[in-house]
Each structure stands twice: as C-alpha cells, then as structure tokens.
C-alpha cells in the first residue's frame, strides 16, 4: 500500500535512521542477544543523531517534530530486527510522563539527558502480584519530612538494568477508595540507596532486551521527584496509554509486513516436488490471507497515527489496534514459520526469532483480554 503520511523530509529522516541501525545495531545484535542486554553507549550514539525523543521541544534537547518521526524510528527498529535497543519505550512511552506531568524543575533536570541518551529511562508499574490489575499494586511511598520512603518490588521492567531514571508507580495512599486514587508516580534515580536492580530475567524472546526485577527497601526519594499530584498516577498512566498502544500497533504492523515479505521470498526460492513452494495452492492461500490482513492493519494503523497527531481521543481505537495487530503478527509468524518447514524452527532463520519475539506483544502494554475489556466498556457493555 502506498502510504500518504510521509513527506520528503520524513523519507530523508527514515534513510538516516535506517543507516544508523545498519551500522550501529544490526552487526552487533546477535552478541547482545547472548549478553541479554545492549550497551548503554548506544543511547548516546542515537542521542547525538537526534533519534531519541525527537518530539521534545528544542529547549529540552529535542527537535520539536511530530509523532511521524517516532513512527519512522519505531518502524525502522522492526525492519532492522532490533529487539534490544528500546528507543520506542524510552522516547515515546516513558519520557512523555516526565514531559507531560513533570514540573519545570523536573523537566530541566531529566529531559535533556533523556534526549542526549545520557539518561536511560524505564517505567515500573508491574509487580509480582499486580499486572493487569494495576490498582492493586503494593509498593508504597510514605511521606517522611521532605522525602518519600519507598518499599516494594517491581518485575518484568524493560530497561530495568540499564535505566538511570525510573518512573515508578507507587501507592501513596493504601486506604484510598477506589484503590486507583491512591496511585502516584515517582521518579527514582539509579544509585539511590535502597533502590536495587535484581535479576535480568531470562525470556523466551527479545533476548537483547534487559527485563528486570527492581527492589525498593526503605528507599528515600525527595518529594520533589513526585510527578504531578499525589493520587493522580493511575489517571496519568491512562492518559498516556493511547500513545503506548499506538506504538505497539505500529511495531506489530511493521513486523507483520516484514514477515510476509520474507515468507514470499522464501516460498519462491524453496523448491519441492519440482516446483516452488509458492506455487502450491495452500501457500498462495496462506500468503493471500496474510497479505489481506496486513493491508487491513496498515489502513487502520495509519488512520490512527493521523488522528493521534491531530490530538483526537482514539483510546478505544488504539486498544482495538493493539490487540488486533499483535494477534495478527502472532498468526503471521506462526503461518510463516510453518511455510519454512524445519528451517523455520532453526534460530539462524529470521522467522524463528520473529516468532519468539512476537509472542510477548499480545501481553505487554496491556494484554489482548484487557484491551477487549476496555473496548467492551467503551461500547457500554
Ligand atoms: C518482556 C516484558 C516486558 C515488560 N515490560 C514492562 C515494563 O517496562 N514496565 C511494566 O510496568 N511492566 C512491564 N511488563 C509487564 C506487562 O505489562 C504485564 O506482564 C502485563 O500487563 C500482564 O500482567 P501480568 O503478567 O501480571 O498478567 P496477569 O495480569 O496476571 O494476567 C494473566 C491473564 O489474565 C488475563 N486477564 C487479566 N485481566 C483480565 C480480565 N479483566 N478479564 C479476563 N482476563 C483477564 C490476562 O489477559 C492474562 O491472560 C512487561 C512484561 C514482559 C513479559
């Protein structure tokens, strides 16, 4: 499908991002997968190129450009099969919390470092006992003079090992009714006594990405690190979910397009029973189905990108796109792997990694079931 979203300047930017990824990420990614983490210098290199938080106003170190630039970065990361260097998470998911809800002092303190890559960010909501049910988190922040004292544990935190600044969801009021009105967001800096990074968790995919446990034990953080108002954390998180879910959809859509392209190539090249695999009716049907879904997804995601940039409330639609594109990606990976036969099961083939990396996408940033719950509620059901 010809996309009408982008102008010449976007294409130039896309080209620069692609070249950067080809040079700085692609040749090293396999090693990072073995390491379970990518090097922190990568953030600084991306920052120097203006690829981190390009939407931030210039006064905070950004370029003041629109979300199309973030779209390009997120898509190119997928096309480069970069699953470790979390530019999208940092730039388009975490930093917006500081930008939107931080005061001027906080913005001046953290945003320039986030744009330059000197500061790597993470957001810590999930706990061992609370994922989808965010309002039931147990990590507490109790006021003590000019500080909060944080106690609790987080898990599955992307950039958990690398992060320098972590936006942590805490309970500042454990008795709040309803419970979500007791949630607040506090920025905790790495190195703060009582803030310990735990295990880099072993995952079935996304091997170059550090996903960690975080522990807070009598961790004293200045009150000045509270983002916005006490008790508003849950609302703030909800306000930013539209973009987070759109970013997931953009990545899933790009992933499905790539899987289709690769499957087309492979099935044209693989010969069996005297003819290319692509000439079997089953193959044509599978690829035709995949191509149809990819077209549908592209039209929907691009529409949402435009509406998001226009400032429209498309939270329900981004929930729809999040569950549908990530489930589509999962289906596409499964079908494409089947078309690869035994080779699809071998890690040296891209589809094997794609299959493993896709699996988490219907889980993080809100599961498929949670998306459907939200949509159902918005439908008045
Ligand atoms: C690789 C990875 C990276 C992550 N990165 C981060 C991060 O950076 N920061 C962060 O805070 N979290 C992160 N997470 C956590 C992620 O957001 C949670 O795993 C997710 O929200 C689901 O929570 P849970 O794992 O506790 O599952 P649960 O909430 O226990 O869900 C279990 C099952 O119940 C289903 N379910 C839940 N609610 C309902 C309902 N109302 N109706 C029907 N079924 C329901 C779910 O869909 C799921 O199938 C990450 C997770 C992974 C795997």
């Amino acid at each position: 499908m010809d996309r009408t979203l982008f102008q010449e300047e976007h294409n130039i930017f896309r080209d620069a991002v692609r070249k950067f990824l080809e040079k700085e990420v692609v040749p090293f990614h396999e090693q990072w997968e073995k390491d379970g983490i990518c090097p922190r210098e990568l953030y600084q290199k991306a920052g120097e190129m203006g690829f981190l938080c390009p939407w931030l106003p210039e006064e905070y170190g950004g370029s003041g450009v629109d979300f199309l630039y973030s779209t390009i970065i997120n898509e190119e990361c997928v096309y480069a099969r970069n699953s470790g260097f979390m530019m999208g998470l940092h730039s388009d998911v975490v930093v917006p919390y500081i930008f939107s809800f931080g005061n001027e002092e906080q913005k001046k303190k953290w945003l320039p470092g986030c744009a330059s890559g000197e500061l790597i960010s993470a957001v810590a909501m999930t706990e061992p006992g609370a994922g989808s049910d965010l309002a039931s988190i147990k990590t507490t922040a109790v006021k003590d003079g000019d500080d909060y004292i944080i106690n609790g544990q987080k898990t599955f935190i992307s950039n958990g090992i690398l992060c320098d600044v972590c936006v942590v969801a805490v309970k500042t009021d454990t008795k709040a009714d309803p419970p979500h009105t007791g949630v607040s967001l506090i920025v905790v800096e790495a190195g703060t006594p009582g803030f310990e990074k735990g295990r880099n968790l072993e995952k079935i995919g996304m091997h170059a990405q550090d996903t960690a446990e975080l522990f807070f034990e009598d961790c004293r953080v200045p009150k000045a690190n509270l983002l916005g108002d006490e008790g508003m954390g849950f609302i703030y998180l909800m306000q930013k979910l539209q973009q987070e879910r759109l970013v997931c959809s953009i990545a899933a859509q790009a992933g499905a397009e790539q899987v289709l392209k690769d499957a087309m190539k492979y099935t044209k090249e693989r010969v069996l029973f005297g003819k290319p695999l692509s000439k079997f009716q089953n193959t044509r049907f599978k690829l035709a189905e995949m191509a149809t879904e990819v077209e549908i997804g592209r039209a929907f995601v691009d529409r949402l990108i435009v509406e998001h940039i226009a400032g429209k409330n498309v939270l329900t639609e981004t929930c729809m796109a999040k569950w549908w594109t990530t489930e589509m990606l999962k289906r596409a990976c499964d079908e494409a792997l089947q078309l690869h036969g035994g080779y699809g099961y071998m890690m040296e083939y891209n589809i094997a990694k794609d299959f493993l990396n896709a699996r988490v996408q219907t889980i993080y940033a809100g599961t498929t079931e949670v998306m459907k719950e939200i949509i159902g509620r918005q439908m008045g059901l």
Side-chain angles (χ1 to χ4, degrees):
M1 178 192 283
D2 276 343
R3 300 174 73 189
T4 51
L5 293 178
F6 303 107
Q7 310 298 321
E8 186 52 23
E9 62 265 29
H10 297 119
N11 298 335
I12 294 167
F13 184 77
R14 187 183 286 280
D15 216 39
V17 175
R18 187 174 296 164
K19 287 199 176 105
F20 173 81
L21 292 168
E22 273 167 9
K23 179 165 173 258
E24 302 291 351
V25 172
V26 176
F28 312 107
H29 203 271
E30 214 165 300
Q31 184 56 46
W32 302 339
E33 286 170 2
K34 292 186 184 122
D35 299 341
I37 196 163
C38 60
R40 52 183 310 114
E41 299 75 53
L42 199 52
Y43 279 84
Q44 282 162 38
K45 285 182 184 169
E48 277 165 26
M49 297 295 292
F51 297 154
L52 296 181
C53 318
W55 52 271
L56 269 177
E58 285 176 23
E59 57 180 309
Y60 301 119
S63 314
V65 293
D66 64 34
F67 184 72
L68 281 177
Y69 289 81
S70 298
T71 301
I72 290 168
I73 293 168
N74 282 297
E75 288 176 349
E76 288 304 318
C77 279
V78 174
Y79 299 144
R81 286 200 160 78
N82 161 42
S83 62
F85 177 29
M86 302 297 274
M87 277 203 272
L89 172 80
H90 172 79
S91 301
D92 305 314
V93 175
V94 190
V95 175
Y97 288 114
I98 301 176
F99 178 70
S100 296
F101 308 118
N103 56 36
E104 202 45 43
E105 201 180 318
Q106 292 170 329
K107 290 193 209 184
K108 287 206 174 100
K109 184 171 180 193
W110 292 309
L111 292 179
C114 289
S116 70
E118 271 148 67
L119 295 180
I120 299 173
S121 66
V123 59
M125 297 177 266
T126 308
E127 300 183 356
S132 307
D133 183 12
L134 181 64
S136 69
I137 56 168
K138 296 273 180 290
T139 298
T140 54
V142 176
K143 268 191 215 136
D144 185 56
D146 287 336
D147 302 324
Y148 282 107
I149 299 179
I150 304 180
N151 278 289
Q153 179 182 345
K154 298 287 175 183
T155 193
F156 305 152
I157 305 308
S158 307
N159 279 351
I161 300 291
L162 283 173
C163 69
D164 303 294
V165 283
C166 187
V167 176
V168 185
V170 295
K171 275 274 171 79
T172 39
D173 181 357
T174 53
K175 297 197 177 70
D177 185 21
H180 76 262
T181 58
V183 176
S184 303
L185 300 182
I186 297 181
V187 177
V188 182
E189 294 173 297
T192 307
F195 173 27
E196 295 296 332
K197 296 173 176 179
R199 285 180 303 152
N200 189 0
L201 299 162
E202 264 186 60
K203 307 184 289 295
I204 63 170
M206 300 276 198
H207 288 142
Q209 204 270 311
D210 56 311
T211 309
E213 298 171 315
L214 303 177
F215 298 95
F216 302 90
E217 200 181 334
D218 292 331
C219 175
R220 191 175 276 276
V221 176
K223 268 192 202 158
N225 285 19
L226 174 76
L227 286 183
D229 294 322
E230 258 194 21
M232 286 295 290
F234 194 88
I235 309 287
Y236 294 156
L237 291 167
M238 296 303 122
Q239 282 178 17
K240 289 289 164 199
L241 285 181
Q242 173 165 310
Q243 179 156 307
E244 180 173 345
R245 285 168 186 163
L246 185 53
V247 167
C248 292
S249 310
I250 289 167
Q253 175 63 30
E257 285 167 1
Q258 175 155 270
V259 164
L260 171 63
K261 201 166 117 203
D262 287 1
M264 298 265 295
K265 184 168 182 290
Y266 181 82
T267 55
K268 280 182 188 168
E269 285 167 4
R270 177 74 172 165
V271 175
L272 56 167
F273 300 104
K275 60 180 179 180
L277 177 55
S278 59
K279 294 294 177 196
F280 290 81
Q281 189 192 46
N282 175 67
T283 309
R284 288 206 307 273
F285 280 15
K286 291 292 175 202
L287 293 176
E289 284 165 14
M290 219 185 276
T292 307
E293 292 200 318
V294 158
E295 286 287 322
I296 293 168
R298 173 49 66 214
F300 190 30
V301 170
D302 278 1
R303 185 195 114 192
L304 294 182
I305 292 169
V306 171
E307 293 185 345
H308 180 66
I309 291 171
K312 289 197 183 154
N313 179 348
V314 281
L315 181 59
T316 311
E317 290 83 351
T318 54
C319 289
M320 292 173 178
K322 200 274 174 180
W323 84 256
W324 193 84
T325 56
T326 56
E327 294 287 347
M328 173 191 56
L329 172 65
K330 231 167 62 176
R331 272 195 304 281
C333 288
D334 194 35
E335 298 289 5
L337 192 151
Q338 186 72 14
L339 288 172
H340 279 70
Y343 296 97
Y345 202 64
M346 299 299 134
M347 289 309 285
E348 61 198 87
Y349 279 76
N350 281 329
I351 188 61
K353 272 185 205 169
D354 292 340
F355 177 81
L356 292 170
N357 293 341
R359 190 61 191 86
V360 75
Q361 300 192 34
T362 59
I363 296 172
Y364 63 21
T367 65
T368 292
E369 293 73 24
V370 168
M371 294 303 102
K372 291 178 183 174
E373 273 297 322
I374 298 171
I375 297 161
R377 269 204 302 276
Q378 294 301 320
M379 291 165 71
L381 301 172

